[in-house]
């Protein structure tokens, strides 16, 4: 077991403004939680009781909600997509797409300038697919998004080392920051493992057969991410995220390489170097969470060497106020 | 990756009355949560703002609270240990010990008949030690308790097998049920890894040097356990628990053996046999949680083969309304 030089990585994580803990917990202070919720409208869809996300009040005010499709209730602080209660997902998605396209054209939202032509899904309780929306708009609605993170590492007589990529300077979000070996968002109808295989090829040039043979599903992390300026676009938008996590143990002869221009280079980091980079804030924040999960599962962070061990574990497995997806392949 | 025969182990877990999910979540239904809380009094200590546990109203009514040391407020539903605001932990613990000894003598509580002469600690926010109390009384006050669970397994060309003990018929709690290879509660001032080493020797006859060399810290699980008749004593008492989890990979020549009469026998279970026993409800409920955590970390349960994957992960890492300990060894 490695001793850890910095006694609490988490203390550092808590201190960085973008970390998931800016969105409060009810159980810590019910009044503070209620006051914080008041800064948002609940995003709802006609025919479904559940709250699907939180929209910042300032975004509600600035956004144009066509009255034939949307109901904004400023007393109850809700924004409801008013399609028929028995509308199909396609019908709801079409209205959403038209609303977002018009808003993007209007040009009032920085975040909509990062249009990606990729769709993110929204689910009702029980995991029922409700609709999807352009990926870059998801933080405007504060919906739960899903992704995969794979940590490539080698472990032999030279010890444990991680394949850490540096994001390209030209990336829209978190330019030049350190990242996880393989990471990506899951579009509508994509499955976690298939997403991992695709991203590993696209981002790290890892052959499909290697990933299928070596990647091991090891859990997921979930957190309430609050966007800051490094994420690009409007700040304080909410991004609750579920990231499925994979360990990818590689032999020394398999070397990840940039392929799609999103990554500048891959370098091998020792455990100590990784901890130092984490403590210096060099990692994209959600990648730091995935590394800390790795450190916990591999006995590097322990209850005896990390004062906030229990807090870390519960905070990186946050349960949401919103319905979530099942990615069961039935 | 193994395919899983039963698509949702969790669905089974949800269906057994003792599982942690009988204590509701605020975010699922605030009104239901509030109504459920009303069945309890908050346990408090003078000089500390935090709620330290929940006491069932029926237990508050039946328990004798000496007025010189205790304040019962039936309007605000609190029971407060009224020692001086600046009392020492020893002073508070002494009053608690006297109150509990008198109550045990009175004989009104089944649960106090299981007196163990072992102390469980209670912490204030920031992990400050407040007092301790006799272990068997902890569910009466609903305080958070801490323990360790180690899973002994072998993994070689014959596949993966677990060393599963059966509890003695004579055990006060959960007689004859299946258990984890090594498990035990942490007394005041005990550290997780040292507790594991001690329990491994006491319960499984595992030599100290083997445990120190092979046991790997891999996380913790936390849940709100609600006691039923199998636990012995009064039902519906609350037991929020944090269990530090260890993987103990053994070679075939190391064989755990009963030593203290608490275990009847150890047997090797394959993954499939373990799943079947889980689905049949043969495991003590919190041991089932630890196995499911193992299955997730080892790629046996995946987002694609377990419909409730995300729910399982967040529910087995429950954050509490109460302050929790740090077991940092500074």
């Amino acid at each position: 077991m490695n001793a850890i030089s910095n006694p609490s990585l988490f203390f550092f994580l808590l201190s960085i403004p973008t970390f998931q803990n800016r969105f409060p917990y009810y159980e810590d202070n019910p009044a503070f939680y209620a006051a914080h919720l008041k800064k948002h409208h609940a995003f709802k869809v006609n025919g479904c009781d559940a709250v699907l996300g939180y929209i910042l009040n300032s975004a509600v005010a600035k956004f144009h909600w066509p009255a034939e499709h949307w109901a904004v209730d400023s007393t109850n602080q809700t924004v409801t997509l008013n399609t028929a209660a028995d509308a199909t997902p396609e019908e709801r998605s079409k209205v959403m797409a038209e609303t977002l396209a018009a808003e993007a054209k209007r040009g009032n939202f920085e975040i909509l300038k990062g249009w990606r032509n990729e769709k993110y899904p929204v689910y009702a309780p029980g995991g029922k697919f409700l609709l999807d929306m352009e990926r870059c708009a998801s933080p405007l609605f504060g919906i739960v998004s899903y992704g995969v993170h794979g940590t490539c590492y080698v472990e032999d007589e030279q010890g444990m080392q991680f394949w850490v990529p540096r994001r390209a300077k030209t990336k829209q979000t978190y330019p030049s920051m350190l990242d996880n070996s393989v990471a990506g968002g899951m579009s509508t109808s994509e499955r976690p493992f298939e997403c991992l295989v695709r991203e590993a090829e696209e981002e790290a040039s890892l052959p499909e057969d290697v990933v299928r043979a070596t990647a091991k599903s090891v859990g997921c992390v979930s957190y309430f991410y609050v966007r800051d300026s490094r994420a690009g676009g409007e700040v304080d938008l909410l991004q609750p995220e579920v990231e499925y996590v994979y360990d990818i143990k590689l032999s020394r002869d398999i070397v990840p390489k940039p392929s799609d221009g999103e990554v500048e280079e891959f370098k091998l980091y020792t455990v100590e170097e990784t901890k130092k980079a984490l403590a210096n804030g060099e990692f994209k924040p959600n990648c730091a969470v995935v590394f800390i999960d790795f450190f916990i599962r591999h006995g590097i962070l322990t209850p005896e060497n990390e004062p906030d061990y229990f807090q870390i574990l519960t905070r990186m497995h946050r349960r949401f106020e919103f319905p979530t997806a099942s990615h069961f392949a039935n």
Side-chain angles (χ1 to χ4, degrees), chain A:
Chain A
M1 308 287 144
N2 297 39
I4 193 161
S5 44
N6 182 338
S8 178
L9 281 176
F10 187 57
F11 185 75
F12 151 72
L13 284 176
L14 270 178
S15 74
I16 63 172
T18 46
F19 199 64
Q20 61 263 36
N21 302 295
R22 277 177 61 202
F23 199 85
Y25 288 91
Y26 170 81
E27 64 264 24
D28 286 349
N29 186 334
F32 183 75
Y33 176 84
H36 195 79
L37 275 197
K38 280 280 171 211
K39 298 177 188 169
H40 305 83
H41 279 48
F43 167 44
K44 303 188 80 172
V45 166
N46 185 36
C48 171
D49 272 345
V51 173
L52 305 170
Y54 294 133
I55 314 176
L56 212 54
N57 291 346
S58 58
V60 174
K62 201 163 76 167
F63 199 97
H64 180 74
W65 305 101
E68 68 270 36
H69 290 309
W70 294 89
V72 178
D73 177 339
S74 32
T75 310
N76 294 310
Q77 299 198 184
T78 58
V79 172
T80 304
L81 175 62
N82 245 342
T83 39
D86 61 350
T88 63
E90 292 69 30
E91 287 163 346
R92 296 189 196 102
S93 302
K94 187 167 172 279
V95 174
M96 178 60 89
E98 288 164 0
T99 305
L100 289 173
E103 192 62 48
K105 210 169 162 190
R106 221 167 276 119
N108 284 334
F109 283 92
E110 276 307 307
I111 202 164
L112 294 181
K113 295 178 184 166
W115 202 270
R116 300 174 75 131
N117 278 320
E118 220 180 294
K119 293 287 175 73
Y120 268 9
V122 183
Y123 299 91
K128 214 183 116 213
F129 176 55
L130 271 179
L131 79 158
D132 58 16
M133 67 174 76
E134 158 60 29
R135 174 173 174 167
C136 77
S138 62
L140 266 184
F141 289 82
I143 59 165
V144 180
S145 61
Y146 304 86
V148 297
H149 275 246
T151 304
C152 294
Y153 69 108
V154 291
E155 193 178 17
D156 54 20
E157 61 291 343
Q158 295 171 58
M160 187 182 266
Q161 287 179 295
F162 302 102
W163 281 113
V164 176
R166 189 174 293 279
R167 296 163 71 86
K169 285 194 221 38
T170 52
K171 283 279 279 188
Q172 200 177 46
T173 59
Y174 308 99
S176 297
M177 294 191 84
L178 298 180
D179 208 331
N180 272 118
S181 322
V182 178
M186 284 164 61
S187 311
T188 303
S189 84
E190 203 169 24
R191 302 275 182 209
F193 194 77
E194 297 308 314
C195 178
L196 182 83
V197 170
R198 177 178 62 70
E199 293 282 353
E201 185 145 33
E202 284 176 18
E203 291 191 352
S205 320
L206 289 173
E208 179 176 337
D209 58 334
V210 169
V211 178
R212 291 197 185 275
T214 56
K216 190 166 91 166
S217 167
V218 292
C220 72
V221 294
S222 51
Y223 45 83
F224 225 125
Y225 185 74
V226 182
R227 288 171 75 94
D228 74 2
S229 60
R230 290 176 302 174
E234 285 72 16
V235 299
D236 293 337
L237 299 176
L238 299 181
Q239 219 172 321
E241 288 185 324
V242 176
E243 302 284 2
Y244 295 107
V245 179
Y246 297 84
D247 284 359
I248 309 175
K249 189 175 174 179
L250 298 176
S251 54
R252 291 256 169 208
D253 57 314
I254 307 276
V255 175
K257 286 184 198 65
S259 87
D260 62 1
E262 304 210 350
V263 165
E264 205 165 277
E265 54 167 3
F266 279 89
K267 268 196 184 167
L268 276 177
Y269 277 59
T270 64
V271 172
E272 277 309 313
E273 286 165 345
T274 309
K275 282 184 201 162
K276 202 170 291 179
L278 284 167
N280 287 340
E282 295 178 49
F283 276 94
K284 180 168 174 269
N286 67 345
C287 299
V289 178
V290 174
F291 261 109
I292 288 173
D293 173 65
F294 187 102
F295 287 172
I296 288 173
R297 288 184 293 96
H298 289 262
I300 296 166
L301 283 179
T302 71
E304 287 88 352
N305 72 21
E306 172 48 65
D308 295 310
Y309 193 78
F310 177 69
Q311 282 295 323
I312 292 176
L313 264 156
T314 53
R315 283 170 186 252
M316 60 168 52
H317 292 102
R318 186 163 184 157
R319 215 166 159 264
F320 296 125
E321 294 86 335
F322 320 116
T324 45
S326 169
H327 291 99
F328 182 55
N330 48 359

